Amino acid sequence: MEVIPAAAAHDGQKQRFDLGVFVGDLPLDDDDAASDNESLEGLQQELEDCKNDQEVANILANGIKMRDYTKGVENSIRQVELDSIQDYITESENLVLLHDQISDCDNILSQMETVLTGFQTEIGSISSEIKVLQEKSMDMGLKLRNRKATESKLSKFVEDIIVPPRMIDIIVDGEVNDEYMKTLEILSKKIKFIEADSMVKTSKALKDVQPEVERLRQKAVSKIFEFIIQKFYALRKPKTNIQILQQSVLKYKYTIVFLKEHAKEIYAEVRTAYIDTMNKPVNNEGMHGHWSVIIKAVHMVVLSAHFRAYIQALEKLQLDIATSTDLLGVETRSTGYLFSIGKEPLKARSSVFALGERINVLKDIEQPALIPHISEAKSQKYPYEVLFRSLQKLLIDTATSEYLFSDDFFGEESLFQDIFAGPIQVVDEYFDAVLLNCYDAIGIMLMIRIIHQHQLIMFKRRIPCLDSYLDKVNMSLWPRFKMVFDLHLSSLRNANIKTLWEDDVHPHYVTRRYAEFTASLVHLNVEYGDGQLDLNLERLRMAIEDLLVKLAKMFPKPKMQTVFLINNYDLTIAVLKEAGTEGGKTQLHFEEVLKSNIAIYVEEVLLEHFSDLIKFVKTRTSEDPASSSDKANIGDVEPLVKDFANRWKAAIELMHKDVITSFSNFLCGMEILKAALTQLLLYYTRLTECVKRVNGGSALNKDLVSISSILYEIKKYSRTF
């Protein structure tokens, strides 16, 4: 065996040993020598495994031989074995006790195994029994459900087909009230049950019950019919509030449902009775039995009579506003106003062309209808549009109530048309007669706006029943308005100038009529923007302008013609503004022509007092100094300067008086005077500039009027005017 020196191990060199040498040095017994090659190979493998073992390497590093080391290990093992035997001998009694305890445990576990095995057998038997019981329970549950279902159907059948004595008493002898309504519903269900289920018809119970149910049905129908007809009969009483009565009847509406479902012929008779009660006389032909006797009791035209009476009461309140002669271009004397004042108030005559307080009818659109006898007691009279609004308000409110009642009580919206045909016919006949003789254009336009507002009200209510009627009324009003408007237009175009002309420059009464009439229509068109009406107003404007020009030409002097036009144009603008409306194109046009005529008047009045000055300035001077300095001399300007200095204040005073007497509107006259004096100042300024440029013009400085003096006079007249 080759021993690796310790020094070599400390030097870090790898320790190696020759396995062949190591094996060769081992002593071998005879038995070991006889071992087969397999043992040697096993030993060789173990040596290979120990080759890299750290423990072996440490042993070899210390210089200890393996044989010695092995003997030391064997001695240690023997010592441990001896110690173990000694410990076993010491603990022998405990081991015996442990053995006995283990034996007892084994016996107990054996007994428990036997018991558990028995339990297992019994549990298996119980499981089988539970399964059988479960199957029986499911079978019993199914039978129970079947019996319950059968019992439920049988119970419902008995409940549906049986006729309780209490129900018979209520149907036969009871009053029509809430309890009666509930009983009717029960009876209706029984009738439907008998008629709907084919299995019921084959039951023996039906043979006993059906005759009784039929008798109850007939009795209920008879009582319902009499009750409802009596309610309709109540409508004929004087001063009956139809809407309140209808509301009281609504709680019995199931009676109508019952008749619809179980007595259609009687329902048709009730329906006809209501229509005839509310609309037209009853035709008793074809009625049968005692029903016709009851229907005769309600032989009355309720709604039609109601509206006819209301219309007759309204006629007493009507205030006539306009006749066929109340036109814009008609002479005042030919209308007979002087003789009609005693018949109609002057205030009513002023409303022929002016809107005034008549606009309030649109503000009161939602107010209740007039109560004629109250107004008559107060001796109040109203323009027709007020009566029209009241009548139409009553009509739409009544129609709304009737439409809702027909839908709610009878369940038929179409019933309304049959019921309301009479009232609409009554209102139509009256309205057509009134409209045929209506020459009040403003009133007609107000009625057009009233109908529009009523259409909006019905739209908000979501009640379409009067759509066609309101459209029809609207379509009737527009042609009539166009016809009356064309009469006004023709009266201006065909006016007799000689009879209309008055030797007065102040605004003509035809102009005031036109201005008020136009302002009224413009005001009524602000929120609607009707293009056709705007076009008609444009035609009317052209006609009045032509008439005014013709009237102006009747004055001999051009200045008077201009003054007349200015006064009339100014009045028209003022009325349009006072109406509180947007005059629109009409007002803008008159403002332009007014401005143009004021400029003409200013030139005319200045020429009247300073003609030489104006002619000189316009012909001999120019705004360009270079072009005008050689066109005038001292001889040309000296007379003009001295003449102006001598009489300019007197001329301004005359102009002042002329303006005061010529123009009815002082504010307009003040503006005209300012414009005239301002233009005079401009002319005189140009003259003074010319004087400064001519040779020797400085000699005239003492005669020139200072500009500040002229401005002072202008301000003075502005303050005192």
Side-chain angles (χ1 to χ4, degrees):
M1 179 177 179
E2 183 180 357
V3 180
I4 300 174
H10 290 297
D11 292 337
Q13 294 179 355
K14 189 177 180 180
Q15 299 177 0
R16 300 178 178 271
F17 57 90
D18 190 349
L19 292 176
V21 176
F22 177 75
V23 173
D25 291 341
L26 290 175
L28 298 176
D29 296 335
D30 293 337
D31 292 336
D32 292 334
S35 298
D36 53 15
N37 293 331
E38 183 178 355
S39 298
L40 292 174
E41 291 178 357
L43 180 60
Q44 185 68 26
Q45 182 64 35
E46 290 180 1
L47 292 174
E48 287 293 333
D49 293 337
C50 293
K51 181 178 180 180
N52 297 323
D53 188 86
Q54 186 64 34
E55 187 66 23
V56 174
N58 291 336
I59 294 171
L60 294 178
N62 293 329
I64 302 174
K65 293 185 178 180
M66 291 299 295
R67 187 181 301 277
D68 295 335
Y69 186 79
T70 300
K71 288 180 179 182
V73 171
E74 288 178 354
N75 292 332
S76 298
I77 291 173
R78 287 191 183 97
Q79 185 62 41
V80 171
E81 181 180 4
L82 291 176
D83 293 339
S84 297
I85 293 171
Q86 187 63 36
D87 291 337
Y88 182 80
I89 293 171
T90 304
E91 298 295 332
S92 59
E93 293 181 0
N94 293 332
L95 292 175
V96 172
L97 180 59
L98 178 62
H99 181 269
D100 292 339
Q101 290 176 350
I102 291 173
S103 297
D104 292 339
C105 288
D106 187 45
N107 292 332
I108 292 171
L109 291 175
S110 177
Q111 292 175 3
M112 290 180 65
E113 180 181 7
T114 303
V115 173
L116 292 175
T117 302
F119 284 167
Q120 184 177 8
T121 304
E122 290 180 2
I123 289 172
S125 175
I126 292 172
S127 176
S128 300
E129 292 177 0
I130 290 174
K131 185 175 182 181
V132 172
L133 291 174
Q134 186 177 9
E135 292 176 354
K136 289 182 179 180
S137 176
M138 292 176 63
D139 185 52
M140 291 176 65
L142 179 61
K143 291 179 180 179
L144 179 61
R145 286 195 297 272
N146 291 338
R147 289 180 180 180
K148 286 184 177 180
T150 303
E151 181 183 1
S152 176
K153 290 183 179 180
L154 182 60
S155 175
K156 188 176 185 307
F157 173 79
V158 173
E159 182 182 353
D160 290 340
I161 203 170
I162 195 172
V163 181
R166 176 62 179 166
M167 186 177 75
I168 297 174
D169 293 340
I170 294 174
I171 295 296
V172 175
D173 300 323
E175 296 182 358
V176 179
N177 51 26
D178 293 341
E179 185 181 15
Y180 196 89
M181 298 295 103
K182 295 178 182 179
T183 307
L184 271 184
E185 293 184 22
I186 297 173
L187 178 60
S188 176
K189 291 180 181 178
K190 293 184 182 300
I191 296 173
K192 292 177 182 178
F193 176 72
I194 292 173
E195 294 176 350
D197 197 335
S198 59
M199 297 296 294
V200 175
K201 295 180 180 179
T202 60
S203 65
K204 294 182 180 181
L206 181 62
K207 296 179 181 179
D208 296 332
V209 175
Q210 189 171 18
E212 296 298 328
V213 173
E214 178 60 22
R215 281 193 287 271
L216 287 177
R217 185 192 69 82
Q218 293 178 0
K219 182 62 178 177
V221 170
S222 174
K223 180 172 288 190
I224 290 170
F225 185 85
E226 293 178 5
F227 176 79
I228 296 299
I229 294 300
Q230 287 297 327
K231 290 292 183 181
F232 295 165
Y233 177 74
L235 295 172
R236 70 186 293 263
K237 296 179 181 180
K239 300 181 180 180
T240 298
N241 190 312
I242 298 175
Q243 285 75 27
I244 293 178
L245 182 61
Q246 287 176 336
Q247 292 301 316
S248 67
V249 174
L250 277 177
K251 62 181 180 179
Y252 304 109
K253 64 181 180 181
Y254 184 75
T255 58
I256 297 298
V257 176
F258 185 86
L259 292 180
K260 270 186 176 182
E261 295 177 345
H262 307 297
K264 293 183 179 180
E265 294 181 358
I266 304 303
Y267 167 75
E269 292 182 5
V270 171
R271 184 180 185 276
T272 302
Y274 181 72
I275 294 173
D276 294 337
T277 300
M278 303 299 289
N279 184 15
K280 58 187 179 182
V282 177
N283 181 8
N284 292 325
E285 295 180 3
M287 294 296 178
H288 56 82
H290 64 286
W291 307 127
S292 60
V293 177
I294 299 174
I295 292 177
K296 288 179 181 179
V298 292
H299 183 176
M300 182 184 175
V301 189
V302 176
L303 286 179
S304 298
H306 177 67
F307 276 96
R308 188 173 288 109
Y310 189 74
I311 288 172
Q312 291 173 355
L314 288 181
E315 288 177 339
K316 299 177 182 179
L317 307 177
Q318 183 171 343
L319 176 64
D320 294 329
I321 298 294
T323 65
S324 59
T325 59
D326 292 318
L327 301 174
L328 293 175
V330 175
E331 183 189 359
T332 303
R333 291 185 293 272
S334 66
T335 60
Y337 282 0
L338 296 176
F339 302 98
S340 63
I341 292 176
K343 182 179 178 181
E344 297 292 348
L346 184 61
K347 182 180 179 181
R349 285 301 174 187
S350 66
S351 299
V352 174
F353 307 106
L355 182 59
E357 295 181 358
R358 298 177 71 180
I359 189 64
N360 292 335
V361 72
L362 296 180
K363 299 177 183 178
D364 299 335
I365 197 72
E366 292 279 8
Q367 295 298 315
L370 292 174
I371 301 176
H373 70 272
I374 295 178
S375 299
E376 188 175 0
K378 296 179 181 179
S379 300
Q380 292 178 325
K381 297 283 187 177
Y382 303 97
Y384 180 71
E385 68 269 7
V386 176
L387 308 182
F388 176 82
R389 183 210 70 85
S390 183
L391 178 60
Q392 297 301 322
K393 183 65 165 61
L394 179 64
L395 184 67
I396 65 173
D397 288 347
T398 305
T400 299
S401 176
E402 191 62 42
Y403 179 84
L404 295 175
F405 177 78
S406 300
D407 184 34
D408 198 3
F409 189 69
F410 289 96
E412 296 184 35
E413 294 180 1
S414 59
L415 184 65
F416 171 84
Q417 300 300 333
D418 297 330
I419 294 172
F420 234 71
I424 289 178
Q425 182 179 357
V426 171
V427 175
D428 271 346
E429 290 175 356
Y430 165 68
F431 177 67
D432 290 342
V434 172
L435 192 62
L436 187 63
N437 296 311
C438 182
Y439 294 91
D440 183 7
I442 294 177
I444 297 174
M445 182 54 63
L446 284 169
M447 287 188 279
I448 291 173
R449 300 313 181 205
I450 289 169
I451 285 296
H452 178 77
Q453 293 297 323
H454 283 169
Q455 287 176 322
L456 293 179
I457 291 172
M458 296 298 283
F459 176 77
K460 292 177 182 178
R461 293 177 180 178
R462 298 183 179 179
I463 304 295
C465 58
L466 288 182
D467 288 352
S468 58
Y469 165 77
L470 295 175
D471 288 340
K472 176 185 175 183
V473 174
N474 191 51
M475 294 301 293
S476 300
L477 287 168
W478 273 109
R480 185 65 188 180
F481 172 79
K482 182 65 166 56
M483 189 274 290
V484 175
F485 188 91
D486 287 344
L487 289 178
H488 286 289
L489 183 62
S490 298
S491 70
L492 294 178
R493 290 176 174 175
N494 303 324
N496 189 332
I497 304 300
K498 293 181 179 180
T499 58
L500 286 179
W501 184 76
E502 297 175 350
D503 191 10
D504 187 359
V505 295
H506 290 86
H508 200 279
Y509 60 84
V510 172
T511 303
R512 177 167 289 278
R513 290 178 186 174
Y514 162 79
E516 292 176 344
F517 185 71
T518 300
S520 300
L521 294 180
V522 169
H523 185 72
L524 292 175
N525 197 38
V526 169
E527 297 181 1
Y528 299 91
D530 193 297
Q532 188 64 35
L533 181 58
D534 289 337
L535 181 60
N536 287 328
L537 290 175
E538 181 68 15
R539 294 164 59 204
L540 196 67
R541 180 194 62 75
M542 295 171 65
I544 190 65
E545 277 196 279
D546 291 341
L547 178 61
L548 290 176
V549 171
K550 292 177 182 178
L551 289 173
K553 290 181 179 179
M554 298 293 290
F555 291 95
K557 296 181 179 180
K559 189 182 77 169
M560 301 299 289
Q561 297 176 7
T562 306
V563 170
F564 175 77
L565 291 177
I566 290 175
N567 281 328
N568 283 274
Y569 294 153
D570 180 66
L571 172 67
T572 302
I573 296 171
V575 172
L576 288 174
K577 290 181 178 179
E578 289 174 2
T581 63
E582 297 178 2
K585 294 180 179 179
T586 302
Q587 182 177 327
L588 292 176
H589 175 80
F590 280 109
E591 287 175 351
E592 290 295 326
V593 295
L594 175 63
K595 184 178 179 181
S596 175
N597 279 272
I598 288 176
I600 294 173
Y601 173 80
V602 167
E603 291 297 324
E604 290 174 347
V605 74
L606 290 177
L607 283 173
E608 185 176 342
H609 297 282
F610 302 99
S611 59
D612 293 337
L613 171 63
I614 294 173
K615 290 178 182 178
F616 175 80
V617 170
K618 287 185 176 181
T619 58
R620 305 294 297 275
T621 66
S622 173
E623 295 180 359
D624 184 5
S627 62
S628 62
S629 60
D630 57 342
K631 293 183 179 180
N633 52 50
I634 190 67
D636 296 327
V637 298
E638 184 177 3
L640 297 176
V641 171
K642 291 183 177 182
D643 178 69
F644 184 85
N646 291 331
R647 63 184 189 87
W648 70 279
K649 288 185 178 181
I652 291 177
E653 178 63 25
L654 292 175
M655 291 169 58
H656 174 228
K657 292 180 180 179
D658 191 8
V659 167
I660 290 178
T661 57
S662 297
F663 299 103
S664 54
N665 185 349
F666 289 154
L667 294 178
C668 180
M670 183 179 68
E671 294 298 325
I672 293 173
L673 181 60
K674 284 183 180 180
L677 295 178
T678 302
Q679 186 63 34
L680 175 62
L681 180 62
L682 292 175
Y683 285 142
Y684 189 71
T685 301
R686 292 173 62 182
L687 175 64
T688 58
E689 293 294 331
C690 181
V691 170
K692 293 177 182 179
R693 292 193 296 269
V694 299
N695 294 328
S698 58
L700 299 175
N701 288 341
K702 63 181 183 301
D703 296 319
L704 289 175
V705 179
S706 65
I707 301 300
S708 60
S709 298
I710 299 176
L711 288 174
Y712 174 78
E713 291 295 322
I714 293 176
K715 292 180 180 180
K716 182 178 70 173
Y717 283 107
S718 299
R719 289 195 300 268
T720 59
F721 190 71

